[in-house]
Amino acid sequence: MFVHWRRVLPLIVIAALIIFEDRVSIPSCEVVVPTGEQNVEENHPDDLKVMMVANLLLLGSEAGYRNIFFRDYYLSKFFARSFGILKPDMLLVLGDLSAKGSELTRSRWSSVLQQFHRLLGPFLGLPFHVILGDRDIGDCSKLNAISVNWLASNFPGLDSAGCGAFEIGNITFVSLNALALLCGNNNLRFSVEKVIERESIDLRMDIEQTTEVLDGSSEYRMSSGDFGWRENSMSSGSGPVLLLHFPLHWTGNKNSWGTSAYCGTSSPSHERSKIPESRGSVGTGPYDLLHTLPPNATEYIFQALRPRIVFSAHSHIFRDRTHSDGTREITVPAMTWDARNDPGFVVATFKSNGRGATISHCSLAKESNVLLAYTSIVVLFTSTMLVAKSSHAHLQEVGS
């Protein structure tokens, strides 16, 4: 009897582990309803569903055993299960794909890109867009146009300055190299300015087909340390979906809510200013987690692009807030245990009828809970074997 049980027990443990790993990799998603809105519009087959992730902090060839066999393993399972369950039409990565990208040579960057492709696995054919973060290209002192151009060339839809613009259905997306907007006069900053100017002109041309043509210059040139624009009659929210790594400077009102601990509910003001949790296993990065675009750059973007909604990252936490002009900004949390114990991501469903977007905050398993579960299984298995062995030895003594 003891021999039979000892043979079966490992199979039971393996089956339990398989079931556990399958269940623990399922995301838990909750629709975030803004203050003042009562109903969530039902999804339509023609809606555009976009999965948005950030701060993957991949290490490529520099990954240690803990990342290779545990954290990266589960990150891959998180992607696979999330893709399989949610079936998004597109993937957006809002910066910091790499943990130490600004310090890597091109050959080592290639290993990070290969890891990213392996992460996507069978879903590599899904349309995706990656924007650059401060960990990818460094701070202002390390900002190099040649390096940015090389890195941007590895991702679809990015120009030489790390910006992009594309349209899917009736939804226009614009991604900006937010880091360049933090720095002084440099070629990258002027290139980002040209992208904003071009998109602003295209937007105005579309609107002016049905409105009076505005008078005056169309120049949006930024001088050193300042951002200039001319006033226009475009209403807030009439522009593209804006994608950034750094959040915009807060120009808020009382309708602000949401952190990783206050999803979908009103959070106290002191919680919103609290320094987010960050893990030191992959370093701190060039900029602290509370860093945002400066006020003048934020105002310039609002005036020039009139974004319908903004998606940012960098802070590692989920946040949903509304700026003073009514523009909604969603901050996408980190999706890796290297950044925080409770990772997550965002799913944005853009309505085919043009009536805004439904935002879902998806939480993933906590690393501490997974480690506790593994430890419990090992302890239970060992204890059971010891008890069974002790009982078998006792029966032998009695029998003799």
Side-chain angles (χ1 to χ4, degrees):
M1 178 66 180
F2 168 71
V3 175
H4 176 71
W5 174 251
R6 189 168 57 182
R7 290 177 179 176
V8 173
L9 185 59
L11 297 178
I12 296 176
V13 172
I14 293 174
L17 285 174
I18 293 174
I19 295 173
F20 169 75
E21 290 184 354
D22 180 71
R23 297 293 298 175
V24 81
S25 58
I26 298 176
S28 175
C29 298
E30 179 182 359
V31 175
V32 182
V33 181
T35 301
E37 294 188 15
Q38 300 297 327
N39 299 319
V40 177
E41 190 174 344
E42 293 186 3
N43 293 334
H44 188 274
D46 293 333
D47 292 344
L48 177 66
K49 183 183 289 186
V50 181
M51 179 176 171
M52 300 187 180
V53 304
N55 305 95
L56 298 180
L57 305 181
L58 303 181
L59 289 165
S61 59
E62 295 193 354
Y65 289 110
R66 184 180 184 182
N67 282 88
I68 294 174
F69 296 108
F70 183 61
R71 288 181 170 176
D72 291 346
Y73 169 74
Y74 266 99
L75 182 59
S76 179
K77 290 187 73 67
F78 288 155
F79 263 102
R81 290 292 282 168
S82 298
F83 282 155
I85 294 174
L86 299 172
K87 295 178 171 56
D89 302 305
M90 183 180 185
L91 172 69
L92 293 178
V93 182
L94 300 183
D96 285 357
L97 178 73
S98 171
K100 303 177 181 179
S102 61
E103 305 171 10
L104 300 180
T105 62
R106 292 188 178 182
S107 60
R108 290 188 175 183
W109 242 117
S110 297
S111 69
V112 173
L113 297 175
Q114 291 171 6
Q115 183 183 359
F116 175 60
H117 292 161
R118 290 196 303 270
L119 196 63
L120 299 183
F123 302 95
L124 187 58
L126 188 75
F128 68 89
H129 185 77
V130 179
I131 65 175
L132 307 179
D134 56 313
R135 287 177 179 265
D136 300 319
I137 55 181
D139 59 17
C140 289
S141 64
K142 297 180 180 179
L143 198 59
N144 182 288
I146 296 177
S147 298
V148 171
N149 182 25
W150 176 83
L151 184 57
S153 67
N154 288 278
F155 299 115
L158 290 184
D159 63 14
S160 60
C163 299
F166 55 95
E167 184 173 336
I168 299 182
N170 61 343
I171 309 297
T172 300
F173 296 83
V174 172
S175 64
L176 300 177
N177 183 346
L179 182 63
L181 295 176
L182 293 176
C183 305
N185 288 336
N186 60 76
N187 291 335
L188 283 174
R189 178 182 168 186
F190 293 144
S191 297
V192 175
E193 171 196 349
K194 290 178 180 178
V195 171
I196 297 175
E197 177 183 347
R198 182 189 68 224
E199 294 302 321
S200 179
I201 292 174
D202 290 345
L203 176 62
R204 290 204 312 275
M205 290 179 64
D206 291 340
I207 294 177
E208 287 169 358
Q209 291 178 358
T210 55
T211 59
E212 181 179 351
V213 177
L214 297 174
D215 296 326
S217 171
S218 63
E219 289 295 322
Y220 280 79
R221 208 59 178 165
M222 294 182 287
S223 59
S224 178
D226 192 18
F227 292 74
W229 59 84
R230 71 180 168 94
E231 293 294 332
N232 60 66
S233 61
M234 296 184 298
S235 60
S236 296
S238 59
V241 176
L242 182 61
L243 309 174
L244 300 163
H245 177 66
F246 287 106
L248 296 172
H249 177 75
W250 174 235
T251 61
N253 51 31
K254 63 181 179 180
N255 292 325
S256 172
W257 67 98
T259 65
S260 58
Y262 290 88
C263 176
T265 61
S266 178
S267 61
S269 59
H270 71 276
E271 288 292 343
R272 293 195 298 269
S273 61
K274 184 179 178 181
I275 296 177
E277 170 198 1
S278 179
R279 302 185 139 186
S281 57
V282 290
T284 57
Y287 295 95
D288 67 67
L289 298 184
L290 293 179
H291 211 92
T292 64
L293 287 181
N296 54 353
T298 297
E299 186 65 17
Y300 171 74
I301 288 172
F302 280 147
Q303 290 289 337
L305 295 179
R306 305 289 191 181
R308 62 185 292 181
I309 189 170
V310 179
F311 293 94
S312 58
H314 182 69
S315 66
H316 293 180
I317 65 173
F318 172 81
R319 182 180 285 119
D320 183 356
R321 57 186 183 178
T322 302
H323 290 269
S324 57
D325 69 341
T327 303
R328 189 180 183 186
E329 180 177 0
I330 306 296
T331 302
V332 178
M335 198 188 171
T336 173
W337 285 334
D338 282 319
R340 57 185 296 110
N341 183 46
D342 52 342
F345 60 93
V346 165
V347 175
T349 304
F350 297 94
K351 301 303 179 181
S352 56
N353 57 15
R355 297 179 181 175
T358 300
I359 306 299
S360 297
H361 174 214
C362 298
S363 301
L364 297 169
K366 292 184 177 181
E367 182 181 36
S368 58
N369 290 345
V370 175
L371 289 173
L372 180 62
Y374 277 127
T375 302
S376 301
I377 291 174
V378 171
V379 171
L380 181 62
F381 175 76
T382 303
S383 301
T384 303
M385 292 297 292
L386 290 175
V387 170
K389 186 175 182 180
S390 176
S391 300
H392 179 68
H394 178 69
L395 291 175
Q396 285 185 329
E397 290 178 2
V398 173
S400 62

